Amino acid sequence: MSGLRRVLVANRGEIALRILRACHEAGIEAVAAHSKADTDARWVRLADAAHHIGGSPAAKSYLNIEAVLEAALASGADAVHPGYGFLAENAEFAAAVRERGLVFVGPPAEVIAQMGDKSEARRTAVAAGVPVVPGSGPVADVAAAAQEAEAIGYPILVKAAAGGGGRGIRPVAGPEELSEVFPTAQAEASAAFGDGTLYLERAIEGARHIEVQVMGDTHGNVVHLFERDCSVQRRRQKLIEEAPAPGLGATVRADLASAAVRLAKHVNYVGAGTVEFLVEPDGSFYFMEMNTRIQVEHPITECVTGVDLVAEQLRVAAGEVLSFAQVDVELTGAAIEVRINAEDPTNDFAPTPGNLGTFTVPGGPGVRVDTGFAAGDTVSPFYDSMLAKVICWGADRTQALARARQALAELEIDGVSSTAGLHVTLLEDEEFRASAVDTRWLERRRLTP
């Protein structure tokens, strides 16, 4: 691969290791930027070089823009890959990387800003001819929100204009709840994202969360890599993802992909991105938001299309043309990803940091495990609780599910509680196996390990 010689990986855990491997495969050196708590982490040990960027709390390291930039320059890197989370969708960071003469492995800062503001993203989707959930623009106060809500119709969702990942969202069943929810959501958005701007959307009941993977390059090419179904969630956080979305009709699939590509082309998108939709049982769909980064669940798309998305990110960041065209992308089989978190499902999913005694991951045909951990490592209380992603591919959904059940049977974790047992229950559930799920399904089922 031409152009890139050394990449600073501005992230941690499994995605840091995933990027590191893609760099090495492309003949690019990878530099780990790490906090104090991660000094002896697995991906740090496997990197070509490592730079300490600050204390254990993310605010003092992985979210410290100047510290990351200093590490990039000191290490001689010519590019920065942000992974997901932390600074991945921070337009200020993307701009700062480029102002220092470095390549940002992601879309232009202007596009990150445009699609990161959820209210602006809605306006952009409308301009691109993509249907959006009925809603409002920014609302300044409770009185304005009440007026907008009456026009939209209850139930509604109060949503933060900034941020993402399901945070800053509050349901409102009727006008009597709005005066209480609005200031609370505003304070939460300000604390989480530094921006208390809110807007409203109609709450769509019984819908599935289906998202389309897109890739663009600097030569004007934008393609889709089909969709993922991420409807199994708790507190709007994804637990299981599948590709392709089971039971989705060919017409709806084509329409979703077409809408996603249309939006990406409208904003001159470059790099890996995901356009998220709510899809109703009758096939009607609405744009929710666009994630301007690589997604946690990207491996299942790689399994069913054969495309290495991180390698493509590096390729287009270096100014090259995408290595494939739309006509080359074909769906093969089915894939499922289960997220193994260090959490206790019997205690309201409370995080369970600690030391991993046994940590044996499964193998076999069609089984891939992405993790930043090994036996003996410490699960830090400072960061996200995800231990591993167990990804299983099959010739069809039945085989993918069978391999996922076998993989979970082989997974051995000792030292911390995890969500592995809950996934065993989920995979055996008749409604899940029949794809009779929506975004509120898990909350209604109240399944336990």
Side-chain angles (χ1 to χ4, degrees), residues 61-350:
S61 50
Y62 300 107
L63 289 172
N64 186 332
I65 291 177
E66 282 305 312
V68 174
L69 290 173
E70 288 175 12
L73 294 171
S75 66
D78 48 19
V80 176
H81 195 310
Y84 55 70
F86 295 131
L87 298 172
E89 292 180 284
N90 186 311
E92 178 188 353
F93 176 62
V97 168
R98 285 168 177 160
E99 287 168 2
R100 303 293 177 94
L102 305 171
V103 173
F104 181 74
V105 184
E110 296 78 12
V111 176
I112 295 175
Q114 181 179 11
M115 304 312 288
D117 182 319
K118 303 302 183 291
S119 184
E120 177 61 27
R122 283 172 52 87
R123 287 193 290 271
T124 303
V126 171
V130 177
V132 301
V133 178
S136 73
V139 286
D141 51 35
V142 173
Q147 190 172 5
E148 292 284 357
E150 287 299 327
I152 296 168
Y154 290 94
I156 62 168
L157 296 175
V158 174
K159 304 181 74 171
R167 301 181 67 188
I169 301 176
R170 297 295 178 90
V172 179
E176 66 282 358
E177 296 180 8
L178 189 59
S179 59
E180 178 182 351
V181 167
F182 192 90
T184 304
Q186 200 167 41
E188 181 180 281
S190 294
F193 311 121
D195 181 350
T197 305
L198 302 178
Y199 69 101
L200 312 181
E201 277 186 359
R202 180 183 295 167
I204 305 294
E205 303 291 342
R208 296 160 70 184
H209 175 133
I210 296 179
E211 59 188 31
V212 178
Q213 178 72 55
V214 296
M215 283 288 309
D217 63 26
T218 56
H219 303 271
N221 300 303
V222 176
V223 300
H224 73 82
L225 294 101
F226 296 99
E227 81 285 348
R228 299 183 286 258
D229 190 327
C230 309
S231 301
V232 179
Q233 307 174 1
R234 55 101 180 162
R235 298 177 191 156
R236 305 186 190 282
Q237 299 292 317
K238 301 163 186 172
L239 284 180
I240 296 177
E241 299 97 352
E242 294 187 69
L248 194 68
T251 300
V252 178
R253 169 170 292 126
D255 289 347
L256 283 168
S258 176
V261 169
R262 195 160 63 246
L263 177 58
K265 286 184 174 178
H266 184 78
V267 298
N268 298 316
Y269 198 80
V270 175
T274 300
V275 185
E276 298 190 339
F277 297 95
L278 281 174
V279 180
E280 295 191 285
D282 67 357
S284 303
F285 62 84
Y286 306 97
F287 167 79
M288 284 196 296
E289 63 183 44
M290 183 175 192
N291 296 132
T292 53
R293 53 174 165 75
I294 195 75
Q295 293 276 92
V296 173
E297 55 271 28
H298 77 274
I300 53 174
T301 294
E302 295 182 326
C303 287
V304 297
T305 63
V307 174
D308 184 328
L309 292 171
V310 180
E312 291 298 324
Q313 282 190 298
L314 296 170
R315 177 184 298 277
V316 300
E320 297 188 20
V321 178
L322 283 171
S323 69
F324 60 93
Q326 188 65 68
V327 68
D328 301 318
V329 184
E330 296 182 1
L331 275 175
T332 303
I336 182 169
E337 173 182 296
V338 297
R339 301 189 187 192
I340 309 298
N341 296 331
E343 297 174 350
D344 183 357
T346 65
N347 185 25
D348 199 25
F349 293 92

